[in-house]
Amino acid sequence: MDNMMLQEKLVEKLLCPRTRTTRQKDKQYVGFATLPNQVHRKSVKKGFDFTLMVAGESGLGKSTLVNSLFLTDLYKDRKLLNAEERINQTVEITKHTVDIEEKGVKLKLTIVDTPGFGDAVNNNECWKPITDYIDQQFEQYFRDESGLNRKNILDNRVHCCLYFIPAFGHGLRPVDVEFMKALHEKVNIIPLISKADCLTPNEVKKLKDRVRDEIECFGIKVYQFPECDSDEEEEFKQMDKELKECTPFAVIGSNAVVEARGQRVRGRLYPWGIVEVENQSHCDFVKLRNMLIRSHMHDLKDVTCDVHYENYRAHCIQEMTSKLAQDNRTDSPLPILPLPTPDGETERLIKMKDEELKRMQEMLEKMQQQMHEKDQ
Amino acid sequence: MAATDVDIFSNEEKRNLSLGGHVGFDSLPDQLVSKSVTQGFCFNILCVGETGIGKSTLMNTLFNTMFENEEASHYQNGVYLRPRTYDLQESNVHLKLTIVDTVGFGDQINKEESYKPIVDYIDTQFENYLQEELKIKRSLFNYHDTRIHICLYFISPTGHSLKSLDLVTMKKLDSKVNIIPIIAKADTISKSELHKFKIKIMSELVSNGVQIYQFPTDDEAVTEINSSMNAHLPFAVVGSVEEVKVGNKTVRARQYPWGVVQVENESHCDFVKLREMLIRVNMEDLREQTHARHYELYRRCKLEEMGFKDTDPDSQPFSLQETYEAKRKEFLGDLQKKEEEMRQMFVNKVKETEGELKEKERELHGKFEQLKLMHQEEKKKVEEKRRDLEEEMNAFNRRKVAAETLSLSQPLKKDKDKKN
């Protein structure tokens, strides 16, 4: 129960506007302490958007988990393929967009799904359509940002990718490693252990340790929670530490509501017991939800904008300018932005011109002298 | 050995006689049984499934022993098979059990070749038996039969349908071995999902023409239980070697925070059904089917490949011998021809190279002669020069001497003149 109260407090802290500081009798009150309130008001009016990508083999519970997270049914009329049709399946990208509202705060949520990933018999480079899609979104944003009319920029960039690792194996498989390595510098990856109801608590701990070690060993950069400030409360810090030690989260999802201990909860009914999705001792679903939605959603967006998008942008510009220097073209698809460092060609030209100037100057001086002498 | 149960007495009228007393041939089955028991039985299981799906745990649970097994890693380059043989004993019955594990199955990114090592292994075991059968001096009665009697195919509990890899592999294996598909880690599927999942799997297998093993329903004693079990395929199993205290008993189970899954509880999973079917009821039938159907099919294909044909419906061992001899002669003839050809080729090649070498020798000789001539000419020239030089030197010397003597004689002459 303590945990629940702590989380409630945390949620309140984040949602409620900061209170005004008490007026000090001696100093004059300027009033910019209301800035957080103003930000809050404006953001509520504007609304938020968030793009979440789910990736993993079929049958790992991705759709169920998304439904459980956002408490809606996004996948109503879905057609699943047979095994025969999946032998040579290619990866598709599908998008579902929903508008949801809670306490006056509007959220435009886009879920990007990747049906067919890892399902074919030959899965060579099955992550390519996904990386292409992410790059496309970046490119589109880049063009919009550099355009003349920037009023209505649609931000379709992927803010977070939930990668589902099956709980049936002994750790990461080669396809998991390759996928995460292809994507870790383009999007925030959060690995999850799905269908965790086939693991006893000991097995969960062993598998988590294994996956963490393998992630470190292969050099995969998954999303890291930001360090909390040193002036935060102790309980907050403790919670944050627990959260970090729990990764990767072992989750269970459910579309159905069952009756357990006199309450109606989301869960799975088995002959030997009932698994409650929101019970912290059963799985890490609550931690994932809090992290993803209640505390770190904006941080995920910030990291996407500040780190992944900036990397893409810098890379893109460098490529473009090197190509321009090679081709010597004066026109370009995008307006050329001022270069921080001049490249070799122009420098040479500048030097040549400088020398010419110097020569001309000397000649001029000589002529002047001559004239001077003549005068004399 | 023949699959056809020919009624030997079909041409004659069958007469049922009644016995006057107790003869005693009703002990024949007992004699057979006691002979088999002394011989010992052998059984070979192949477990096909992804890494970590629970193959080793299920084997441990089925046979109630801890077979030593290291955990496989996910990073094998290909699939390879790991056979292990164990000697088990229960009451006075000895069982030589071989468990073949597929290591690395389903882990590679490109799984198009994954089924090949498995098919090759099964074929190799058949081939070994065939070789033993065709030997002149054979010892079939104490031959260690390594042919796979049953293949347990572990299906991942996704809850939707079979994976594409499963379908492809089972299609390749169904004509070579008895397959029983089982759903592994079944404690992650709820009852309603399980029902739908089983139906989906069976319909997919049927629509793709995969022949899985059907429990036999022709034997009166077991027909009822077998036909009811056939309806429960694929079996959803849970394996565990840990013991948990439930009530006042200690049973094999898995302990979760939300409950305890008991392995031997029929309402929790189908483990008991699998054990009944596999070990307690149908083990002998599995061995028979392997020998009578799958091995015979392999043998027929192999021998047809080699060129044998059956002109009469039932092949007499004698005519087989004749055909075998004829084939052998043919092969020997072929072999000899090939040898001749090769020898011919060899001889030709040798001649060729000899010819080439001779040419080269001639060339070298020619060059040598040329060089010698040149050398001689040079020598002559040098000799001439030397002679010239010598002559010059001689001439010079003579002149010198002449000059000297002249200079000497001159003062003498002067002296002489002075004296005079």
Side-chain angles (χ1 to χ4, degrees), chain B residues 117-131:
Chain B
I118 305 176
V119 169
D120 288 342
Y121 181 83
I122 297 175
D123 279 343
T124 317
Q125 307 317 309
F126 281 154
E127 182 66 32
N128 292 345
Y129 193 83
L130 183 65
Q131 292 296 331

Side-chain angles (χ1 to χ4, degrees), chain A residues 59 82-84 86 119 121-123 168 170 172-173 195 197-200 203 210 268 270 272 274, chain B residues 52 71 74-75 109-111 158 160-162 164 185 188 193 200 204 208 254-256 258 260-261:
Chain A
N82 285 335
E84 197 182 352
R86 281 190 272 158
D119 283 344
V121 179
N122 183 354
N123 287 319
F168 315 131
H170 290 314
L172 289 178
R173 296 163 305 158
K195 296 214 169 179
D197 53 353
C198 77
L199 298 171
T200 60
E203 292 169 352
R210 195 69 172 269
R268 290 173 65 73
Y270 289 115
W272 48 86
I274 300 178
Chain B
E71 237 177 45
H74 280 283
Y75 303 102
I109 294 185
N110 185 353
K111 297 176 265 211
T158 55
H160 292 323
S161 67
L162 283 178
S164 48
K185 302 211 171 183
T188 191
E193 291 169 355
K200 190 81 202 315
E204 280 197 331
N208 283 293
R254 285 173 68 74
Q255 172 118 54
Y256 289 109
W258 49 85
V260 178
V261 182

Side-chain angles (χ1 to χ4, degrees), chain A residues 210-323:
Chain A
R210 195 69 172 269
V211 171
R212 261 203 303 264
D213 288 337
E214 286 183 347
I215 286 180
E216 211 182 293
C217 169
F218 285 106
I220 299 171
K221 299 187 221 143
V222 294
Y223 172 69
Q224 302 290 336
F225 301 118
E227 298 295 328
C228 44
D229 306 321
S230 50
D231 60 348
E232 294 278 1
E233 298 172 348
E234 264 309 309
E235 315 156 46
F236 187 71
K237 276 202 225 169
Q238 180 67 19
M239 255 177 41
D240 197 57
K241 193 160 131 261
E242 276 178 28
L243 206 68
K244 287 193 189 152
E245 285 175 1
C246 238
T247 55
F249 296 126
V251 291
I252 302 173
S254 168
N255 279 328
V257 178
V258 295
E259 177 108 16
R261 292 178 287 133
Q263 293 176 323
R264 291 182 65 74
V265 287
R266 262 192 188 243
R268 290 173 65 73
L269 178 64
Y270 289 115
W272 48 86
I274 300 178
V275 181
E276 295 165 46
V277 165
E278 300 193 6
N279 187 332
Q280 296 239 39
S281 57
H282 287 188
C283 71
D284 297 329
F285 175 80
V286 176
K287 288 201 180 77
L288 172 69
R289 184 180 58 191
N290 288 348
M291 191 280 297
L292 187 63
I293 302 177
R294 294 186 187 177
S295 35
H296 291 87
M297 199 182 236
H298 209 82
D299 184 63
L300 285 164
K301 287 179 71 170
D302 285 341
V303 173
T304 311
C305 291
D306 297 339
V307 178
H308 299 295
Y309 173 67
E310 291 300 317
N311 281 342
Y312 173 82
R313 187 169 168 277
H315 179 74
C316 221
I317 294 181
Q318 268 183 357
E319 264 189 31
M320 267 198 323
T321 48
S322 67
K323 249 193 356 190

Side-chain angles (χ1 to χ4, degrees), chain B residues 64-77:
Chain B
N64 226 338
T65 15
M66 292 294 281
F67 302 118
E68 0 93 23
N69 264 321
E70 331 96 30
E71 237 177 45
S73 103
H74 280 283
Y75 303 102
Q76 309 280 350
N77 276 336

Side-chain angles (χ1 to χ4, degrees), chain B residues 90-106:
Chain B
E90 199 177 48
S91 311
N92 57 344
V93 178
H94 286 268
L95 178 68
K96 210 185 188 92
L97 178 72
T98 306
I99 299 181
V100 186
D101 222 344
T102 48
V103 179
F105 187 76

Side-chain angles (χ1 to χ4, degrees), chain B residues 219-236:
Chain B
D219 184 1
E220 276 177 13
V222 292
T223 185
E224 215 184 281
I225 185 172
N226 275 347
S227 46
S228 79
M229 289 300 177
N230 271 329
H232 279 132
L233 282 173
F235 294 129

